[in-house]
Amino acid sequence: LVKMEDGNDRSLDQIAQPTDPSRFVVEETPDQKSDAKASWQMDTTTKEQERSWRDLLKGLAQGCDVTRISLGAHFLRPKSTLECLAATLQHGKLLSGLCEGQDEVDRMIAVTKFHVSGLIKEVFDGKKPYNPILGETSAWAFDNESPSSGISHMICEQVSHHPPISAFHIRNKALAVSMEGYMHTGAQFNGNSIAVPFGQRTLRLERFGEDYLMTMPTMQFRGLFFGARGVEWTGPVVVWCKKTQLVCEMEFKPLGFLGMWGEWHAVEGRLRRDSNESEEVLYDIHGHWDTKLMLKHSSSGAEKVLYDYDECHSKDAPRRLQLDFQLPSDSTRVWGKVTEALLAGDLSAANREKLKVEDEQRALRVKEAEQKVQWTPKWFKRKKNGEWITRLEEAEKYMDENMRASSSIDA
């Protein structure tokens, strides 16, 4: 069982269940008052942008999925939501350290560090990425610039449109590491905030036969109409290895009501061994994910760094490689003309190109319905319990045959 911030216990199986929209609402509980500031500017909206999205949101019912609303080009970022998943490997060089630990505790710490490193410092700018179309794909190759670390390949696919679900698979043959996951890319309006869930993922260390189930926190855009405005990651995060019976549980604590108490980006948790017979707490966890997270040994009280944001970002990110082949369904090809128009500042052209993409999708769905054709994802399949997993044979074949890289490009 995992002890939640509300004092209730939940099993790991419950936490691992497919995302339930009712879990998007984050409870704000009083905490010690603090003047701590975030480590980056989280709100860059202009007065004009603020008026625009307030006019858009004020007529929405609480609980509404914002992604189901058709937005004009002035609300869009020149990037698909599917492309945002590349942040999972923004510190991909940490993959090489996952198998270097002396024992399973060291590996759990390394996996947790890598997991946290995938979080981004999001900025509230009144804009959102494109909603991926059904069947949209993205593929990347990242060079870790070390012969022993090889190249990390990542493929993503939009496997459902209503509800919107994105799935991904990562493979590094040299390190014998792989990861798969999915996220419900909906965005729930909660009155004064918008909550975006990020689903769950499983990381495999093939050399040790260890699978790590990892749940993600919820990204919350808060202070839409009043109170402290910014972007925070909130809620429970669990990293669990069934084989070693080790579990790292963290609570990403939300700022208090209107920002009147608490701290931005505070995290508390513990790393423990959870067997059927007993529970042994090995470390307590405390700190802030955007600066530094610390491990405190439960017996000696000695502390060491779990994750240092600045240290990770001071190192070069993996080089993103130019692929020789792209599918017609790749995000850059689906939204290419919309992106060109947005970057050129031509909102009228961006709206026209966006409408073309949407109209083509509607026509395709109508045609499939008339012909009684069931659309099937390329690389993923849905289990009976709602989880999405990789079609390994198809995914591996695609990566081996089509993801050859010829040169590096900017990430």
Side-chain angles (χ1 to χ4, degrees):
L1 295 177
V2 175
K3 180 69 70 176
M4 310 301 286
E5 187 176 320
D6 60 9
N8 295 323
D9 291 330
R10 293 177 62 199
S11 70
L12 293 167
D13 288 337
Q14 287 175 316
I15 292 176
Q17 288 301 309
T19 307
D20 178 355
S22 66
R23 290 176 50 202
F24 300 177
V25 181
V26 179
E27 296 293 336
E28 295 179 333
T29 55
D31 202 347
Q32 181 179 0
K33 184 175 176 60
S34 172
D35 295 326
K37 298 293 189 293
S39 62
W40 79 97
Q41 182 182 6
M42 294 185 292
D43 179 19
T44 62
T45 51
T46 64
K47 292 295 183 182
E48 182 179 357
Q49 288 173 328
E50 184 175 329
R51 284 194 295 270
S52 294
W53 55 254
R54 282 189 172 183
D55 287 342
L56 173 73
L57 296 174
K58 67 183 181 181
L60 300 182
Q62 187 162 327
C64 173
D65 185 351
V66 181
T67 62
R68 303 197 70 158
I69 302 172
S70 181
L71 299 177
H74 60 291
F75 286 113
L76 298 177
R77 292 181 187 174
K79 178 182 289 189
S80 171
T81 298
L82 204 62
E83 295 177 276
C84 296
L85 285 171
T88 305
L89 284 177
Q90 66 177 335
H91 295 302
K93 290 186 177 181
L94 294 178
L95 286 174
S96 61
L98 298 184
C99 299
E100 295 177 355
Q102 295 182 356
D103 55 32
E104 65 266 26
V105 176
D106 286 344
R107 291 195 294 276
M108 170 59 80
I109 291 173
V111 169
T112 301
K113 178 180 180 179
F114 171 71
H115 187 40
V116 176
S117 78
L119 301 181
I120 59 174
K121 288 184 174 181
E122 182 61 273
V123 175
F124 193 111
D125 60 0
K127 298 178 183 292
K128 65 174 292 297
Y130 315 132
N131 291 336
I133 65 172
L134 184 65
E136 182 178 328
T137 58
S138 284
W140 303 280
F142 295 92
D143 186 357
N144 295 303
E145 298 179 343
S146 167
S148 61
S149 298
I151 293 177
S152 299
H153 293 95
M154 182 174 187
I155 55 174
C156 309
E157 184 175 7
Q158 191 71 9
V159 295
S160 174
H161 191 58
H162 292 305
I165 299 175
S166 304
F168 71 89
H169 177 77
I170 296 170
R171 181 197 70 180
N172 186 304
K173 279 189 172 182
L175 297 173
V177 173
S178 64
M179 182 164 68
E180 66 179 3
Y182 63 94
M183 61 176 285
H184 185 301
T185 54
Q188 181 173 303
F189 176 61
N190 294 322
N192 193 41
S193 65
I194 292 176
V196 182
F198 272 71
Q200 65 184 48
R201 47 201 62 182
T202 300
L203 183 143
R204 297 185 179 91
L205 302 182
E206 296 170 13
R207 296 178 189 174
F208 301 96
E210 295 173 353
D211 287 359
Y212 294 80
L213 171 70
M214 307 184 295
T215 64
M216 291 288 291
T218 294
M219 180 184 286
Q220 184 169 233
F221 296 81
R222 60 175 298 142
L224 300 179
F225 296 98
F226 48 83
R229 182 181 300 162
V231 188
E232 58 182 354
W233 293 93
T234 63
V237 172
V238 172
V239 181
W240 174 44
C241 180
K242 184 176 182 179
K243 180 178 179 179
T244 64
Q245 299 181 320
L246 290 171
V247 58
C248 180
E249 54 192 18
M250 295 175 285
E251 184 71 26
F252 284 59
K253 303 170 76 65
L255 198 65
F257 180 67
L258 300 182
M260 294 188 293
W261 58 74
E263 299 177 304
W264 284 106
H265 316 305
V267 179
E268 293 180 357
R270 58 184 180 170
L271 192 163
R272 59 187 174 84
R273 192 183 301 277
D274 189 14
S275 65
N276 293 330
E277 295 78 21
S278 62
E279 174 185 287
E280 177 189 7
V281 177
L282 304 177
Y283 291 96
D284 290 315
I285 301 170
H286 65 91
H288 302 79
W289 74 264
D290 63 323
T291 52
K292 191 176 292 186
L293 290 178
M294 303 296 297
L295 289 168
K296 182 178 181 180
H297 197 277
S298 58
S299 299
S300 67
E303 292 197 344
K304 62 180 179 180
V305 176
L306 168 62
Y307 173 67
D308 187 323
Y309 185 93
D310 291 333
E311 179 187 7
C312 283
H313 277 261
S314 66
K315 301 175 181 178
D316 292 335
R319 284 189 305 126
R320 181 176 167 187
L321 303 177
Q322 179 68 57
L323 300 179
D324 294 335
F325 173 78
Q326 282 184 331
L327 289 168
S329 55
D330 191 88
S331 299
T332 56
R333 301 183 68 174
V334 171
W335 301 103
K337 291 184 178 180
V338 182
T339 297
E340 289 177 8
L342 285 176
L343 294 178
D346 190 341
L347 296 182
S348 296
N351 278 320
R352 286 196 301 271
E353 295 299 335
K354 175 176 176 288
L355 185 60
K356 287 181 183 178
V357 174
E358 294 170 343
D359 285 346
E360 287 175 1
Q361 284 300 297
R362 294 188 189 99
L364 183 58
R365 301 285 86 82
V366 170
K367 183 178 180 180
E368 289 175 345
E370 290 174 347
Q371 297 179 351
K372 298 181 180 181
V373 174
Q374 180 69 40
W375 178 82
T376 303
K378 294 178 178 67
W379 303 317
F380 302 92
K381 60 183 178 182
R382 187 176 184 270
K383 296 171 64 177
K384 291 182 179 180
N385 65 358
E387 294 181 8
W388 286 87
I389 59 175
T390 309
R391 298 177 186 269
L392 283 175
E393 184 176 348
E394 290 86 346
E396 294 285 336
K397 181 179 180 181
Y398 179 82
M399 289 188 284
D400 289 338
E401 296 180 356
N402 300 294
M403 292 189 70
R404 292 182 294 273
S406 56
S407 60
S408 64
I409 59 175
D410 292 335

